[in-house]
Amino acid sequence: MHKISKEKLHSKSKVGIVLRPSTPQIKENYFIIKQCFEKHNIEVFLERSSASMIGEEGHDLDMICETVDFFASIGGDGTLISVVRRTFKSNKPVLGINLGNLGFLTDLKIADLDNFLNNLETDNYRIDSRMIIKGSTNIRTFFAFNDIVISRKSLSSMIKIDAKIDGKPFNSYYGDGVIISTPNGSTAYNLSVGGPLVYPLTDVFIVTPVAPHSLTQRPLVLPADFEIEFTVSDNQGAVVIVDGQDIYEIEHNQSVKIQIASKKAKLIHRKERNYFEVLNEKLQWGK
């Protein structure tokens, strides 16, 4: 049976804010949000690149990580994922404030913030711990909140990827590529290619082939204590796409090793948020 975490913030007096990039028109929304935090005696630290975008003074992200009690991302799910990836080593929870339609991850609108901060003061909220994937090649290490995709370089040819679990061969994928997803990312690219939905507070890998050249290839859910290794076995090499935000190239016979990260991402949510209600709203289940 799943148990809701009882973790709470030790202090709530300082928040780091990161804005959705390339949207300077967000400035007015930022000042509304800043004023709301300050009304509740929470000091605001605006991240430097966000501040530069709207013509304000900001702070270095590493300094903010050491100073604040939690972060707030202002934008959509993509902004929140970026903030989580940039800050999760600091172990600071992230609150997602959505400026558009409610997302799978960001469930708070600006109009809801004042009431939410009242609840924050009385510990009427929750912190969810979400699995992070650690990926590594022979030259770099990277972290993903949603997924790591190993994809073909060329649109005109398919790619062959050999896979091992804990050093033992288990499959070869031939097609457009393969997605290695967390439960967080099960509603993202994984879903669009026929992968399963997985409850986000579980710890598993979801391995889903993309346009496989075989009717026998199916998505696979694996325990997160495995180490999975993917080796590009044809000459063209491949690209590795991390959360749709970072792209790296790997060459023939290079491998990507994937395992669960030692730390988890922490998301702050309304206590009444219900994952299955979100699915019903976003995916129109039963409609």
Side-chain angles (χ1 to χ4, degrees), residues 112-130:
D112 304 322
L113 182 59
D114 186 57
N115 185 59
F116 177 80
L117 293 178
N118 285 328
N119 287 329
L120 191 74
E121 291 172 5
T122 59
D123 282 344
N124 187 28
Y125 66 96
R126 73 171 200 257
I127 296 175
D128 289 349
S129 294
R130 303 287 190 100

Side-chain angles (χ1 to χ4, degrees), residues 30 40 100 129 199 217 266:
Y30 164 68
H40 290 267
S129 294
Y199 188 69
Q217 296 284 13
K266 296 180 179 180

Side-chain angles (χ1 to χ4, degrees), residues 148-168:
I148 294 171
V149 179
I150 304 172
S151 180
R152 57 183 179 165
K153 281 185 180 178
S154 169
L155 293 177
S156 61
S157 58
M158 291 184 284
I159 186 173
K160 187 171 185 288
I161 302 167
D162 295 324
K164 295 179 181 178
I165 293 177
D166 289 345
K168 297 179 180 179

Side-chain angles (χ1 to χ4, degrees), residues 55-265:
E56 295 293 313
E57 293 292 321
H59 304 273
D60 177 74
L61 187 65
D62 288 340
M63 184 281 286
I64 296 176
C65 284
E66 294 176 3
T67 303
V68 302
D69 302 306
F70 65 104
F71 279 89
S73 80
I74 303 175
D77 282 357
T79 307
L80 183 137
I81 290 168
S82 176
V83 173
V84 166
R85 292 180 58 219
R86 294 169 64 193
T87 66
F88 91 98
K89 287 184 179 180
S90 71
N91 217 35
K92 302 295 172 66
V94 182
L95 172 69
I97 302 172
N98 199 301
L99 297 183
N101 296 321
L102 295 183
F104 282 107
L105 303 170
T106 50
D107 64 332
L108 205 64
K109 289 194 171 185
I110 294 178
D112 304 322
L113 182 59
D114 186 57
N115 185 59
F116 177 80
L117 293 178
N118 285 328
N119 287 329
L120 191 74
E121 291 172 5
T122 59
D123 282 344
N124 187 28
Y125 66 96
R126 73 171 200 257
I127 296 175
D128 289 349
S129 294
R130 303 287 190 100
M131 173 183 162
I132 292 281
I133 286 178
K134 176 184 176 183
S136 58
T137 66
N138 58 343
I139 58 172
R140 62 172 54 89
T141 298
F142 39 87
F143 296 90
F145 181 88
N146 264 2
D147 51 42
I148 294 171
V149 179
I150 304 172
S151 180
R152 57 183 179 165
K153 281 185 180 178
S154 169
L155 293 177
S156 61
S157 58
M158 291 184 284
I159 186 173
K160 187 171 185 288
I161 302 167
D162 295 324
K164 295 179 181 178
I165 293 177
D166 289 345
K168 297 179 180 179
F170 83 93
N171 203 358
S172 290
Y173 295 93
Y174 186 55
D176 286 0
V178 64
I179 304 166
I180 306 93
S181 172
T182 64
N184 312 311
S186 70
T187 52
Y189 191 12
N190 165 75
L191 178 64
S192 71
V193 297
L197 293 177
V198 177
Y199 188 69
L201 303 185
T202 52
D203 288 347
V204 293
F205 296 111
I206 307 158
V207 183
T208 305
V210 182
H213 198 62
S214 168
L215 295 176
T216 62
Q217 296 284 13
R218 292 289 182 267
L220 185 63
V221 179
L222 297 169
D225 55 357
F226 285 152
E227 180 183 80
I228 318 174
E229 182 178 354
F230 298 87
T231 304
V232 178
S233 57
D234 55 29
N235 292 326
Q236 67 168 315
V239 290
V240 179
I241 306 166
V242 184
D243 280 337
Q245 298 177 346
D246 296 329
I247 301 177
Y248 308 105
E249 289 195 6
I250 56 173
E251 302 305 323
H252 170 59
N253 281 336
Q254 276 194 304
S255 297
V256 180
K257 292 184 178 180
I258 291 175
Q259 57 194 132
I260 188 172
S262 58
K263 290 186 177 181
K264 292 193 172 185

Side-chain angles (χ1 to χ4, degrees), residues 252-281:
H252 170 59
N253 281 336
Q254 276 194 304
S255 297
V256 180
K257 292 184 178 180
I258 291 175
Q259 57 194 132
I260 188 172
S262 58
K263 290 186 177 181
K264 292 193 172 185
K266 296 180 179 180
L267 302 187
I268 302 173
H269 285 298
R270 295 177 295 115
K271 199 165 189 179
E272 63 270 22
R273 174 184 167 87
N274 183 290
Y275 173 70
F276 299 101
E277 288 178 1
V278 174
L279 286 183
N280 186 279
E281 177 187 344

